[in-house]
Amino acid sequence: MDALVCLLQLLLLLLTLPLHLMALLGCWQPLCKAYFPYLMAVLTAKGNRKMERKKQELFGQINRLTGASGKVALLELGCGTGANFQFYPAGCRITCLDPNPHFEKFLTKSMAENRHLQYEQFVVASGEDMRQVADSSMDVVVSTLVLCSVQSPKRVLQEVKRVLRPGGLFLFWEHVAEPRGSWAFLWQQVLEPTWKHIGDGCCLTRETWKDLESAQFSHLQMEQQPPPFKWLPVGPHIMGKAVK
């Protein structure tokens, strides 16, 4: 099986050789950073229509954290275009974090369309290094389709626990690998080296549930969902919550 994966990866590399050469020469990444927000704007709009009920269910849990002030401090990792904003309840004070500065104009548009939220700031940083966010300063941290593309999911989860207040919620929706040994997993292995360039670092074969289970949250709850787009190579999704 491993030999077959290597052979198919090589064939795909030859078919997409210009892309890999551009990446090797450092030309592809700046181009990807510029076009990726436009791609995500299209996909997330379609995804929201397919997942509306489940997202309402996931983010509806934020209501239980609203105290006497009626405010909730919320940090969204890899905020992208702000596709989740419409699902957040009124009173959320939103801090957005993303390593790609090209998303900011999309965020500005999304905040203008969601006046029930209070926009705090846009932090250009990776999830592994959120030093601009203070310890125990957030009631909620949100991550949707983010842990697939970070360098170290374990380090990101450590940072999530650091910035959450005791009892704070980490809400997640992430795509994960297909079952090992399946043909679907084989094709994910074949496509991953090329897909990572197309998807701005997205890894298809991450078993993110293992990182969540080993992160030592006080409580972890998750369920598996089928992928919303059958024509994409991303596998099943996991959604749920973790409590600090």
Side-chain angles (χ1 to χ4, degrees), residues 88-110:
Y88 296 153
C92 287
R93 296 184 290 109
I94 312 294
T95 297
C96 301
L97 184 140
D98 202 291
N100 188 345
H102 294 286
F103 276 115
E104 187 167 16
K105 66 178 181 180
F106 292 91
L107 287 173
T108 302
K109 180 176 181 293
S110 291

Side-chain angles (χ1 to χ4, degrees), residues 5 9 12-13 16 19-20 187-198 202 204:
V5 168
Q9 282 180 340
L12 183 59
L13 186 149
T16 58
L19 169 61
H20 290 276
W187 283 110
Q188 285 185 323
Q189 289 177 289
V190 170
L191 292 168
E192 186 164 82
T194 300
W195 183 258
K196 286 176 72 173
H197 294 311
I198 298 170
C202 175
L204 296 170

Side-chain angles (χ1 to χ4, degrees), residues 210-226:
K210 294 181 179 179
D211 295 312
L212 288 161
E213 289 168 348
S214 63
Q216 297 184 330
F217 285 97
S218 66
H219 175 71
L220 175 64
Q221 176 184 325
M222 60 181 153
E223 63 182 71
Q224 186 167 300
Q225 298 289 328

Side-chain angles (χ1 to χ4, degrees), residues 57-58 61 170 172 219-223 239-243:
E57 176 186 326
L58 180 66
Q61 299 174 82
F170 175 51
F172 57 88
H219 175 71
L220 175 64
Q221 176 184 325
M222 60 181 153
E223 63 182 71
M239 64 169 283
K241 68 177 180 181
V243 182

Side-chain angles (χ1 to χ4, degrees), residues 1-186:
M1 190 72 81
D2 289 343
L4 177 60
V5 168
C6 291
L7 175 61
L8 292 173
Q9 282 180 340
L10 179 59
L11 289 174
L12 183 59
L13 186 149
L14 291 173
L15 289 171
T16 58
L17 189 58
L19 169 61
H20 290 276
L21 286 175
M22 288 177 68
L24 184 64
L25 295 171
C27 304
W28 175 255
Q29 190 68 3
L31 180 62
C32 180
K33 291 290 185 187
Y35 88 75
F36 195 65
Y38 293 93
L39 175 63
M40 290 305 296
V42 174
L43 289 178
T44 53
K46 293 179 181 294
N48 274 350
R49 289 194 291 271
K50 286 179 173 287
M51 300 181 182
E52 181 176 8
R53 185 178 62 83
K54 280 297 183 181
K55 281 199 171 185
Q56 288 172 342
E57 176 186 326
L58 180 66
F59 297 128
Q61 299 174 82
I62 297 172
N63 284 310
R64 295 199 287 270
L65 297 178
T66 304
S69 67
K71 302 292 184 182
V72 174
L74 186 152
L75 170 67
E76 181 165 352
L77 308 181
C79 51
T81 61
N84 292 325
F85 291 173
Q86 62 182 288
F87 300 104
Y88 296 153
C92 287
R93 296 184 290 109
I94 312 294
T95 297
C96 301
L97 184 140
D98 202 291
N100 188 345
H102 294 286
F103 276 115
E104 187 167 16
K105 66 178 181 180
F106 292 91
L107 287 173
T108 302
K109 180 176 181 293
S110 291
M111 289 307 302
E113 294 170 350
N114 292 277
R115 295 293 186 180
H116 64 292
L117 306 175
Q118 181 180 333
Y119 185 33
E120 294 290 296
Q121 62 175 326
F122 176 54
V123 179
V124 180
S126 68
E128 292 90 343
D129 184 9
M130 298 191 285
R131 65 183 71 183
Q132 297 178 63
V133 183
D135 295 0
S136 304
S137 61
M138 294 292 161
D139 300 306
V140 183
V141 177
V142 172
S143 170
T144 57
L145 306 181
V146 172
L147 296 179
C148 59
S149 58
V150 299
Q151 293 294 318
S152 171
K154 290 182 180 180
R155 177 61 183 154
V156 172
L157 293 174
Q158 288 173 357
E159 282 287 88
V160 167
K161 291 179 67 178
R162 179 184 66 78
V163 304
L164 275 175
R165 66 164 175 79
L169 283 184
F170 175 51
L171 302 176
F172 57 88
W173 184 301
E174 301 288 341
H175 72 79
V176 294
E178 295 281 2
R180 287 179 176 267
S182 67
W183 282 103
F185 181 72
L186 180 146

